[in-house]
Amino acid sequence: KQEVTQIPAALSVPEGENLVLNCSFTDSAIYNLQWFRQDPGKGLTSLLLIQSSQREQTSGRLNASLDKSSGRSTLYIAASQPGDSATYLCATPNQAGTALIFGKGTTLSVSS
Amino acid sequence: DTAVSQTPKYLVTQMGNDKSIKCEQNLGHDTMYWYKQDSKKFLKIMFSYNNKELIINETVPNRFSPKSPDKAHLNLHINSLELGDSAVYFCASSLFTDTQYFGPGTRLTVL
């Protein structure tokens, strides 16, 4: 059964720093891997989806990579800003593709 | 123009009551979901519907009954509410395994 882990649970950085958020999964036979952002009291916003056949995806200051063989994905945030403060969640569909399995998230705080 | 909408946003009720949460998506997706986010912020799937057919029911008490009147709507009815049902419930939709789009959530508080 697929399990998704995110380390660290929380991260604090000063504004302007580049940072990496980690996500690992136990079953490498995945359809894709998705990164979401959740602001306090809000819903989830999709950031990036990397298909199983891809190695990375980029959107603005965000870059997500995928290494299926090692069961890892990373989300790289360049030149962090206070507005990036949020909880970042990674998720991958279950074996049947019928639902997402989520990690517990990394709560990022960027100080000005 | 909201993609996935849920009503109500907040729901406060007494133990033992019955309540419903509604969800609608205007993205033309074929699959809709209900997720539960507990007090520790962990998100877990409850139900998945594909083209109005139930395709997953993850060990959810049968007090929870989803209903999909059409592909754009997935409602969640909860009978005999218990304290442990307090959580945030999210609706989502997608084209099968493609990107899932989430609603704003419904915060349920059972007193």
Side-chain angles (χ1 to χ4, degrees), chain A residues 32 38 43 46 49 98 100 102, chain B residues 33 35 37 48 97 99-100:
Chain A
N32 58 53
Q38 185 175 27
S46 177
L49 179 148
T98 51
L100 286 177
F102 281 87
Chain B
Y33 314 83
Y35 289 89
Q37 188 169 45
S48 296
T97 60
T99 300
Q100 288 194 17

